[in-house]
Amino acid sequence: MKKKLLALILASALTLGLFAGCAEQKPTPSTTSPTAPVPTVDTAPSAPQPAIDKLVVGTTSVIETATAGEYAYDMLSSGTSQMPLVWQDTDGVYHPLLADFETTDGQTWTFTIREGMCWDDGEPVTAEDILFTLQQADAAGSANLIDQTAEDGKVTEAKYSGYVLSEDKSSISLTLAKPNVRELSNMTSFRLTPKHILENNPAPSEADLRVGCGPYRFASFDKNAGAITFEVNPHYPETPNVAKIVYQTFGSEDVMYTALAQGDIDLCWNYSAGVSSTYQSILDAAETVKMIGVPATNAPAVLVFNNENGLFANENLRMAVAYALDYNAFKLYFGSPYAQIPNRGFVPSTTVGYTDTDPLETDLAKAAAYMSAAGYTKEEAFYQNADGQTASFTLTYNAGKPAHAGFAELVKTNLELFGIQVNLEGLDSASYNAKTSNKFSENNITHEAAIFGFTAAGMGMMNGLATIYVDGTHPVQGGAQVFDPAFQTIRDQMSAAKTLDAYYEAARQMQQYYAVHLPLIALYWDSMMLAHSAKLENITVDAVFGLNNVNNWLHITK
Amino acid sequence: MKKYLKSIVTALICFLIVIILNFLLPRMLPGNPIAYLTGMAEEDMTGVQYEYYCNALHLNESWLVQFGYYLKSLVDGTLGYSFKKEATVALLIGERIGATLQITLPAVLISTGIGLVWGLHCGLHRDGILDKVSTTSLIVFNAVPTFVIGLALVIFCCFQHRWLPYTALNSAGIFPGTLAYLTDRLTHLVLPILTLVIGTLPSRFLLMRNTASRIADEKFILYAKQRGLTERKVQFSYGLKNIAQPFITMVGMSISTCIGGSTVVENIFSINGMGTLLTSAVYTLDYPLMQGILFVTTGIMVISIVATDVLCILIDPKVRFGGCA
């Protein structure tokens, strides 16, 4: 009897524990909306009902607060409530989104808020919100409108030299300190901060930080359910085709893609990432799923030479390596079915200013000729120079990135078969950065050659065409350590271009420079694969945000 | 008494060493510590922002002063500040630990209970049919990784048969505090708990079974059987008391697993618990958060080890009946 009573007490304690656990996880009203739904605004204009009741977007993004300022949430809500100023299609063409734009000289850019744009509390969006957003970023240490001076006296110059607000506050003209014909690339992810809510508001509430100006407004964040819901913003001038967008977070890609194939979710999305190659063939074979291949603007696998010091200061040796690598193997083992062998001009065809250059090719005879020109002859397994030194170098890679380790292994295999010895050096992120980046090495880059992966944003930064990684004087990157005046001249021409035609001409020269001197090599080009339910049609793909974009919800059908 | 003190002092020394290592390791890594906080994605950070992080982390101060700040954060209970997540580490852990305990605690209790009863029975009936079948099958299960168990359960129970949900701790749109919410929560907990139970049961069973099989032919067991005592009485009053120590130690160690969470299970079932928090801290190189989690799990582990040591000493009949305490 005593034991039965004890067992009963234990069972009750366990059940109570579960109840208690539930109680602990009970969401606060401010973060989870089942208890705090956004009230319907009675004054909102009536609009036709959306054709699709709900779409569920699966994502492996980790969302903690679902408020503006949280990076993952910012990227996610850019497709719903925090609409950027402009968007870029997959052909590299920019279109107005929240604002129209114009420039005559690539230096002064005028942005005019489009007719009828309102915050989801009903207040109109104005150009003052653009200015306020820039000023707020400056207050946090950015250098948009004011120079920032560090304690050591180092000055970061302001990006803009001035601005003019129109009288009706519908437009703002921002003058760049230097012309930039590609300034719109920075505006594809420029989201506005509501001045009427956050000005003189040192402690904004969660609700304040969720006010947006897109076709949707934040409805709820249920952390225990891993679901963020957006509903139609009644103040938006157009009615989207979908009434509700629910983002369901997943911890495992396996489960997410299975859920997509089973029809539990409608599409998968992660910022700046497509379906990883492991799952591409599986999803491709599923009848319930459709895949879209978007030519990528990033460079997932790059062999960067140290052009200033070490073995690869010798251009002939860079050429020899370029001809000794098996690009088909890189494409086959690491790329998607849509992967391509890159050109010598390095940047993929979707890049603004792309020009055609010869494709990279494997030709061991040419590689041997370049080794000979560099003063090396083959002795048994490896080439040696006149002093008896073996052609050998250390290839550095970030051991935290398994794919990069794979690239390094294949480079080693290819080159050692040819006759160049490769010592692999896998480092943790911090040590890797300290050898490959000007910023983290304090301008003392020491790698001989390294495996990099360049993001689309990095490729387009400053003058574009991945110049920040090549330029040895770049304050942050500069991994290729190129100090060649010819390179710097072309870089300056790109920087000084006031029209797109002038930029295209300089970009063409830069790609020719890359093709001739090979300061770095793309090991393969790939496409970003996006996956959605086969039931969905009229899909719009945004070059920056993929399937998660405002235009998609406006036109999609099911 | 001497044994208790020795156990407690050893644990305290270990804990102190962990605290010191916890502080030193991130600072001894090569490269600029700012990189650990910013990562390369912060490449357009201005000098002012750089200095902000430098000051906030007290990196301009000596290591001794930095250690003082670190100890202060442990004493005041904040456990440091995560710049990546913009919150104190204690708050982040507090938000997640409930979710983790909801899956790990029942899993530990269930697998311990089943492993104990099943293992004891099979061990004391060595070479019986049940023992042979159980031991063989659980040796096989012991070799199956947890993620395989989890995914197999998801595919079978969720996608093929639609019996149970597979994401998060509850469904969206159900109001907390209602019966529907509790039912929904319980159905969400079934598979994560079952995965952990299947994953941990074999080791507990095998330990108990092997230990019990060693005493199956001991005189005190045979004598108890000869006295006509019930099977249950023989197993629990005579068998278990003499072989409980290694099992208690194993269960004690698993308490820290409860706190640390199960990364694999939390990832498969999309549960925002301690495991995913640690994973995210590692992936984003959020050192303050990693340090905080390590501190908490180490602390709990030390306490549970001391507790199990004391318990083992207490239940040792030699100690209890006047042996060398």
Side-chain angles (χ1 to χ4, degrees):
Chain A
M1 185 64 195
K2 212 168 120 187
K3 282 176 186 171
K4 281 182 184 169
L5 188 66
L6 187 67
L8 190 67
I9 292 168
L10 278 172
S12 309
L14 187 61
T15 314
L16 282 172
L18 276 176
F19 271 100
C22 295
E24 272 172 29
Q25 287 298 301
K26 189 174 171 179
T28 56
S30 52
T31 54
T32 55
S33 44
T35 54
V38 175
T40 308
V41 180
D42 294 331
T43 54
S46 60
Q49 287 300 304
I52 303 170
D53 184 43
K54 182 174 86 171
L55 281 185
V56 182
V57 181
T59 178
T60 53
S61 299
V62 179
I63 308 290
E64 295 286 345
T65 61
T67 53
E70 182 188 12
Y71 181 76
Y73 177 75
D74 284 344
M75 296 304 111
L76 183 145
S77 60
S78 292
T80 50
S81 63
Q82 295 193 71
M83 197 165 67
L85 287 192
V86 300
W87 74 282
Q88 186 187 359
D89 65 24
T90 50
D91 295 324
V93 180
Y94 297 100
H95 306 272
L97 204 54
L98 184 61
D100 292 308
F101 52 84
E102 62 173 321
T103 184
T104 51
D105 57 3
Q107 189 157 15
T108 298
W109 289 82
T110 302
F111 296 96
T112 305
I113 302 296
R114 292 171 71 197
E115 189 75 27
M117 290 295 169
C118 287
W119 295 99
D120 57 39
D121 61 1
E123 287 291 316
V125 179
T126 70
E128 277 192 318
D129 291 314
I130 298 179
L131 180 61
F132 180 70
T133 306
L134 293 171
Q135 288 169 333
Q136 268 221 323
D138 284 351
S142 294
N144 287 310
L145 298 162
I146 54 171
D147 295 345
Q148 297 281 4
T149 309
E151 279 178 14
D152 62 1
K154 191 179 172 189
V155 177
T156 305
E157 288 180 9
K159 179 182 172 185
Y160 299 106
S161 59
Y163 65 88
V164 178
L165 264 173
S166 67
E167 272 187 26
D168 64 356
K169 295 175 183 171
S170 67
S171 68
I172 185 169
S173 296
L174 293 163
T175 304
L176 291 161
K178 291 176 189 171
N180 182 3
V181 290
R182 297 178 314 109
E183 169 64 4
L184 290 177
S185 68
N186 299 322
M187 295 302 173
T188 55
S189 54
F190 186 87
R191 294 167 296 274
L192 297 193
T193 306
K195 183 182 178 188
H196 68 285
I197 289 176
L198 296 181
E199 191 177 33
N200 303 320
N201 182 1
S205 65
E206 284 184 334
D208 291 340
L209 294 171
R210 287 165 175 165
V211 172
C213 56
Y216 291 88
R217 64 182 178 186
F218 174 89
S220 70
F221 173 39
D222 190 336
K223 206 169 180 179
N224 282 332
I228 304 167
T229 306
F230 291 87
E231 60 189 12
V232 170
N233 172 11
H235 302 284
Y236 193 75
E238 286 178 79
T239 303
N241 275 0
V242 187
K244 215 179 255 185
I245 310 279
V246 179
Y247 293 87
Q248 179 67 53
T249 57
F250 286 85
S252 156
E253 284 191 327
D254 290 306
V255 178
M256 181 173 76
Y257 291 128
T258 312
L260 176 67
Q262 293 285 325
D264 290 1
I265 58 176
D266 295 291
L267 54 95
C268 294
W269 174 80
N270 277 313
Y271 175 63
S272 193
V275 178
S276 44
S277 54
T278 320
Y279 303 99
Q280 284 175 6
S281 53
I282 299 166
L283 290 179
D284 221 12
E287 286 179 5
T288 51
V289 176
K290 266 189 187 171
M291 303 279 283
I292 303 174
V294 182
T297 49
N298 66 337
V302 185
L303 175 61
V304 175
F305 300 112
N306 185 330
N307 289 249
E308 180 69 5
N309 295 307
L311 201 66
F312 296 115
N314 185 331
E315 189 171 301
N316 286 318
L317 291 176
R318 299 200 296 270
M319 295 294 168
V321 167
Y323 280 114
L325 293 174
D326 182 354
Y327 301 100
N328 271 315
F330 281 101
K331 190 167 78 106
L332 178 68
Y333 295 131
F334 299 107
S336 74
Y338 299 83
Q340 292 175 293
I341 292 177
N343 287 354
R344 295 169 70 92
F346 184 74
V347 296
S349 59
T350 42
T351 308
V352 177
Y354 169 82
T355 194
D356 219 13
T357 53
D358 292 336
L360 289 159
E361 59 175 322
T362 308
D363 187 332
L364 297 184
K366 281 187 183 173
Y370 277 109
M371 289 304 286
S372 177
Y376 284 82
T377 51
K378 195 160 186 182
E379 303 290 338
E380 296 182 359
F382 298 117
Y383 281 89
Q384 287 186 350
N385 63 14
D387 300 330
Q389 291 171 321
T390 301
S392 169
F393 72 98
T394 298
L395 179 59
T396 305
Y397 66 94
N398 185 340
K401 298 184 176 181
H404 288 202
F407 304 150
E409 286 285 354
L410 191 49
V411 168
K412 178 182 169 76
T413 305
N414 286 175
L415 294 185
E416 293 199 338
L417 271 174
F418 169 67
I420 297 175
Q421 192 177 36
V422 181
N423 307 306
L424 295 184
E425 182 183 42
L427 300 175
D428 65 274
S429 291
S431 309
Y432 172 85
N433 293 338
K435 285 195 88 168
T436 58
S437 130
N438 273 333
K439 179 175 176 178
F440 294 104
S441 70
E442 293 171 355
N443 292 316
N444 182 29
I445 285 177
T446 53
H447 75 92
E448 287 186 273
I451 297 292
F452 278 70
F454 297 161
T455 62
M459 294 274 282
M461 211 165 270
M462 297 191 71
N463 300 304
L465 303 185
T467 48
I468 63 167
Y469 300 102
V470 181
D471 185 358
T473 65
H474 189 269
V476 177
Q477 296 291 347
Q481 292 286 283
V482 171
F483 297 94
D484 184 355
F487 168 84
Q488 290 171 345
T489 304
I490 304 170
R491 177 202 63 191
D492 293 343
Q493 285 171 4
M494 291 169 77
S495 177
K498 291 189 175 179
T499 63
L500 267 178
D501 286 340
Y503 178 80
Y504 290 156
E505 172 53 25
R508 188 190 63 75
Q509 288 181 38
M510 184 57 82
Q511 287 163 85
Q512 293 295 346
Y513 178 90
Y514 288 165
V516 172
H517 300 288
L518 285 179
L520 71 179
I521 296 172
L523 298 172
Y524 67 92
W525 285 339
D526 212 341
S527 291
M528 190 160 69
M529 303 304 296
L530 309 173
H532 65 84
S533 162
K535 291 177 185 169
L536 299 177
E537 289 176 347
N538 296 317
I539 299 278
T540 309
V541 180
D542 184 304
V544 178
F545 294 102
L547 293 174
N548 180 40
N549 68 84
V550 167
N551 290 292
N552 217 0
W553 318 135
L554 290 171
H555 306 296
I556 201 166
T557 54
K558 190 174 184 179
Chain B
M1 190 63 196
K2 211 173 169 184
K3 275 193 177 177
Y4 300 134
L5 280 176
K6 191 182 168 193
S7 175
I8 291 168
V9 169
T10 309
L12 284 176
I13 291 170
C14 287
F15 193 45
L16 192 64
I17 291 171
V18 168
I19 288 176
I20 293 168
L21 284 178
N22 210 5
F23 167 78
L24 286 180
L25 283 177
R27 285 160 178 83
M28 287 166 70
L29 287 171
N32 189 338
I34 289 283
Y36 307 140
L37 283 171
T38 60
M40 292 303 287
E42 310 290 337
E43 52 209 359
D44 53 354
M45 193 164 68
T46 64
V48 173
Q49 289 164 324
Y50 185 89
E51 273 168 16
Y52 167 77
Y53 286 116
C54 207
N55 291 331
L57 287 164
H58 313 291
L59 293 174
N60 295 327
E61 312 273 7
S62 68
W63 277 23
L64 201 62
V65 176
Q66 288 181 45
F67 188 60
Y69 279 109
Y70 177 64
L71 286 181
K72 182 174 171 284
S73 73
L74 299 185
V75 172
D76 66 19
T78 58
L79 306 180
Y81 189 82
S82 165
F83 292 93
K84 291 275 184 188
K85 296 193 182 292
E86 295 183 341
T88 62
V89 172
L91 184 72
L92 291 167
I93 291 174
E95 281 177 352
R96 306 290 193 108
I97 204 161
T100 293
L101 288 177
Q102 282 176 64
I103 56 168
T104 54
L105 208 53
V108 167
L109 290 175
I110 292 168
S111 65
T112 301
I114 297 174
L116 188 148
V117 175
W118 194 2
L120 192 60
H121 180 85
C122 289
L124 292 177
H125 296 84
R126 194 179 51 199
D127 296 333
I129 292 176
L130 181 64
D131 176 45
K132 282 179 180 170
V133 173
S134 306
T135 307
T136 309
S137 56
L138 286 176
I139 284 173
V140 173
F141 264 105
N142 200 30
V144 180
T146 313
F147 78 90
V148 173
I149 298 168
L151 287 176
L153 285 174
V154 167
I155 290 167
F156 184 74
C157 300
C158 308
F159 291 125
Q160 285 186 357
H161 292 289
R162 303 282 172 185
W163 290 333
L164 291 162
Y166 54 88
T167 52
L169 279 178
N170 58 262
S171 309
I174 299 182
F175 293 86
T178 60
L179 187 62
Y181 188 82
L182 178 69
T183 314
D184 181 65
R185 173 63 60 90
L186 289 174
T187 55
H188 277 80
L189 287 174
V190 171
L191 284 184
I193 292 173
L194 187 58
T195 307
L196 281 177
V197 168
I198 296 173
T200 54
L201 179 62
S203 60
R204 293 175 211 280
F205 167 84
L206 292 170
L207 178 73
M208 183 45 82
R209 185 259 169 209
N210 292 339
T211 326
S213 70
R214 277 192 224 122
I215 59 156
D217 297 329
E218 290 285 337
K219 285 179 184 170
F220 65 90
I221 295 289
L222 298 174
Y223 178 63
K225 283 180 180 172
Q226 285 300 315
R227 284 173 62 200
L229 296 177
T230 61
E231 178 76 21
R232 195 187 294 174
K233 186 83 176 170
V234 173
Q235 283 181 11
F236 291 97
S237 298
Y238 286 77
L240 183 59
K241 277 185 184 170
N242 285 279
I243 56 169
Q245 289 179 352
F247 194 74
I248 288 172
T249 307
M250 180 189 242
V251 175
M253 297 288 280
S254 66
I255 289 173
S256 64
T257 316
C258 283
I259 307 300
S262 170
T263 307
V264 173
V265 170
E266 287 181 10
N267 275 338
I268 290 173
F269 295 99
S270 311
I271 294 168
N272 282 317
M274 291 288 284
T276 47
L277 187 66
L278 181 61
T279 310
S280 123
V282 171
Y283 276 122
T284 59
L285 294 177
D286 192 339
Y287 278 80
L289 188 52
M290 277 190 259
Q291 285 174 304
I293 295 170
L294 186 63
F295 174 79
V296 170
T297 49
T298 314
I300 301 283
M301 185 176 265
V302 166
I303 292 167
S304 61
I305 287 172
V306 171
T308 50
D309 277 358
V310 171
L311 199 59
C312 287
I313 293 167
L314 280 176
I315 64 162
D316 186 341
K318 290 177 208 158
V319 178
R320 275 192 294 121
F321 293 112
C324 46

